[in-house]
Amino acid sequence: MKSTSEDRPAQIGPTGPIASESAQLDAHPAGDASELALTEAGVQPSPTLAPVADGDGLPKPRKVLIVHASVGSGHRSAAFAIADAFKIIDAEGGDDGCPIVTEVLDILDFGRIVFDGDNTASMFTGVTRPFYDLTWRYTLTGRLLWGGGTIWARIMYPKFVEYVATEQPDAIICTHITAANVAVSARMILHATFPIICVPTDYEVEGLWPHLYTDLFCVANEHMAETLRPRKVPEKRIHVTGIPAAPDFAREYDREATRDALGLPQDKQLTLFLAGATLPRPYVHFRQSTDELIPFMHRFKDMHFVIIAGKDADYEEHLQRLVKAHDLNNVTVLGYVDEMAALMSASDLIVCKSGGLTTTECLCVNVPMILLGRAYGQEKANVTMLTSTGAAFHVTTTRELYDLLLQIDAHPHMTEAILYNAELIRRPDAAMEIAKATLNAIHGTPTPDARLKRKHFMHFYWGRKPAHIR
């Protein structure tokens, strides 16, 4: 599996300790109103610890919960990228002298039924893909929208309501749609006023985000802002920040040193195939096209191919057999790579799937990309945005990929236009922008919009004509 951030300590469920900097802090009192709301929601409040006395005169820390869902690696990576940005701000003096404490949580850990998000996501990669695709930008699903409601927490996530009541955060940042809706549910039930910041990790906004009850949408580009406006999200609640990638992808690397360390040639165009994944099912078609191309890779005299198999040892062994069978000396197969950002930076071309975080990382390291394979749902939206702006190539078949690589091999400068266009949407400092926007929301006066204060079990609404439909 391709690693986009350093390994993190494993999180324990919501009834145990959480891996974060704030694990040693005492919880703030939930208060009578919160306890009443918890009782109404069918949750038995936990005993509340007394707040830490400020006998040493230190200011009260800002508490920010960053909530993702373990459905693929992108949402988690984005959450930790934002947490890293807060660490930088805290190291530089915090928020006006106040320390900043963050917790990165997996919303699935708080469910009445704890299920495997990765396996669930794999259910939408086969024949069911068109059904999943219906939630994205079709005429009906572009107008019939989800506002928000308490249904998520009341039915499935009451433990998260209890946790929020105990922790009393200053803000909650959500990098997954389920996390966002559960956060909105918790705030409604608790009658709380903390801001909720939604960070979609793709290049489009699905219709099931809690549009009317989100204080701030931090989106990738103006294309996404155009989607939110007809969905009746006020302009003041839209902030174009980019998608947050780990700080590693914004750093400068020594290309020659990286190639030397991995035994890669200095005088060839390095073409990187990102085929590693925790679950192979979403990568079936990508890997099939890669396998079909391998017998022809010897024809590319000025290219050297690097194929990443990630932690999938069986697939790595399969690739090694193919390379050996075809006696290829311009192909290197690698398993799990620690310094993925450095390797991507040392490449001249990247072939990848159209996931939001993967494409964002390619933009951040400033390397042209070829998106391989048919796409549905959010990945279809990513392909549409990236190709419409001229920021990426897209092919759907092995033959198309072969023909495109032949052209690039013969005319390497044709990727310069891709890099130029990609620069227009490249935002390597997105995580820091989101962290600063969150602190501004904490300091801002609570929004007077009555919709954010209403309490609904479930709230659908009818939007205006979508800016982007297909």
Side-chain angles (χ1 to χ4, degrees):
M1 180 182 70
K2 174 175 174 289
S3 176
T4 57
S5 64
E6 61 181 347
D7 291 337
R8 310 285 177 170
Q11 295 181 0
I12 302 174
T15 56
I18 304 293
S20 84
E21 302 93 318
S22 60
Q24 306 300 321
L25 293 179
D26 290 326
H28 305 304
D32 295 338
S34 296
E35 292 184 7
L36 177 60
L38 286 169
T39 303
E40 292 175 353
V43 179
Q44 185 63 39
S46 301
T48 305
L49 301 175
V52 177
D54 291 328
D56 52 6
L58 294 177
K60 175 185 174 183
R62 304 286 186 204
K63 181 66 174 287
V64 179
L65 301 182
I66 308 172
V67 193
H68 67 97
S70 52
V71 181
S73 61
H75 309 289
R76 176 179 180 273
S77 295
F80 276 111
I82 298 169
D84 287 340
F86 276 113
K87 289 179 183 178
I88 294 173
I89 295 174
D90 189 50
E92 293 175 349
D95 178 27
D96 293 335
C98 295
I100 303 172
V101 175
T102 61
E103 270 190 284
V104 177
L105 307 172
D106 183 353
I107 192 61
L108 300 186
D109 287 341
F110 292 83
R112 289 184 189 270
I113 302 173
V114 179
F115 60 92
D116 189 313
D118 287 327
N119 286 330
T120 302
S122 292
M123 295 171 58
F124 298 99
T125 58
V127 295
T128 58
R129 288 182 297 177
F131 297 99
Y132 178 64
D133 200 35
L134 284 173
T135 62
W136 291 85
R137 292 198 304 154
Y138 285 91
T139 303
L140 176 62
T141 54
R143 299 198 70 172
L144 181 59
L145 302 164
W146 174 250
T150 64
I151 179 174
W152 297 78
R154 292 189 184 280
I155 293 178
M156 189 66 180
Y157 294 98
K159 288 182 180 179
F160 186 75
V161 181
E162 178 181 357
Y163 192 80
V164 171
T166 302
E167 292 298 309
Q168 289 199 347
D170 293 287
I172 296 182
I173 302 173
C174 305
T175 64
H176 188 271
I177 190 171
T178 301
N181 281 297
V182 175
V184 165
S185 293
R187 187 173 65 176
M188 284 183 175
I189 291 171
L190 298 172
H191 306 285
T193 59
F194 56 79
I196 294 174
I197 291 83
C198 288
V199 185
T201 56
D202 290 289
Y203 289 91
E204 190 53 284
V205 185
E206 189 180 9
L208 295 177
W209 284 88
H211 293 85
L212 300 186
Y213 299 91
T214 294
D215 295 85
L216 187 65
F217 272 97
C218 291
V219 296
N221 53 21
E222 187 62 29
H223 181 92
M224 296 174 70
E226 290 178 2
T227 297
L228 291 173
R229 293 183 185 109
R231 292 178 173 181
K232 301 182 180 178
V233 177
E235 192 71 34
K236 63 185 178 181
R237 294 192 203 155
I238 304 172
H239 187 26
V240 178
T241 60
I243 295 175
D248 288 350
F249 293 91
R251 295 176 184 149
E252 295 287 338
Y253 293 93
D254 187 326
R255 287 167 54 93
E256 292 185 1
T258 300
R259 292 192 181 197
D260 283 341
L262 295 173
L264 302 174
Q266 300 287 354
D267 59 344
K268 301 291 184 180
Q269 289 190 77
L270 202 63
T271 301
L272 181 64
F273 279 69
L274 300 180
T278 303
L279 295 176
R281 186 171 176 181
Y283 275 76
V284 167
H285 298 292
F286 185 95
R287 291 180 173 184
Q288 180 180 345
S289 293
T290 303
D291 291 354
E292 292 172 352
L293 183 67
I294 285 176
F296 304 96
M297 285 183 173
H298 68 279
R299 298 183 181 179
F300 300 90
K301 303 301 182 182
D302 294 323
M303 282 189 175
H304 189 91
F305 298 91
V306 178
I307 307 175
I308 303 297
K311 294 182 178 179
D312 193 333
D314 291 337
Y315 182 57
E316 182 182 359
E317 184 179 349
H318 163 76
L319 289 172
Q320 295 284 13
R321 287 198 303 268
L322 278 179
V323 170
K324 183 177 180 180
H326 292 281
D327 193 23
L328 297 173
N329 57 14
N330 68 331
V331 179
T332 299
V333 176
L334 298 176
Y336 181 78
V337 177
D338 287 314
E339 300 297 330
M340 181 57 70
L343 175 56
M344 290 173 67
S345 296
S347 302
D348 298 295
L349 184 65
I350 296 175
V351 183
C352 59
K353 281 178 86 274
S354 50
L357 257 294
T358 299
T359 53
T360 296
E361 289 162 1
C362 291
L363 292 172
C364 288
V365 297
N366 204 28
V367 175
M369 68 185 109
I370 299 176
L371 308 178
L372 172 60
R374 296 185 64 186
Y376 293 87
Q378 77 277 14
E379 292 196 358
K380 175 66 174 179
N382 296 339
V383 169
T384 300
M385 193 286 299
L386 290 166
T387 56
S388 65
T389 56
F393 298 106
H394 177 227
V395 296
T396 57
T397 67
T398 307
R399 178 169 290 278
E400 286 181 310
L401 175 61
Y402 175 75
D403 289 342
L404 179 57
L405 288 174
L406 280 178
Q407 294 179 50
I408 295 174
D409 190 31
H411 308 285
H413 296 298
M414 65 184 290
T415 61
E416 292 178 2
I418 291 292
L419 289 178
Y420 178 83
N421 294 327
E423 188 64 30
L424 301 177
I425 57 175
R426 179 176 176 267
R427 292 178 177 268
D429 298 322
M432 184 62 69
E433 289 294 318
I434 293 167
K436 291 178 179 178
T438 301
L439 294 176
N440 289 337
I442 291 173
H443 288 296
T445 56
T447 176
D449 194 330
R451 287 182 298 189
L452 287 176
K453 300 178 182 178
R454 291 175 188 162
K455 192 174 180 181
H456 295 273
F457 180 68
M458 58 193 323
H459 183 189
F460 289 93
Y461 72 103
W462 192 249
R464 294 189 290 271
K465 182 179 178 180
H468 309 114
I469 58 175
R470 64 178 192 270

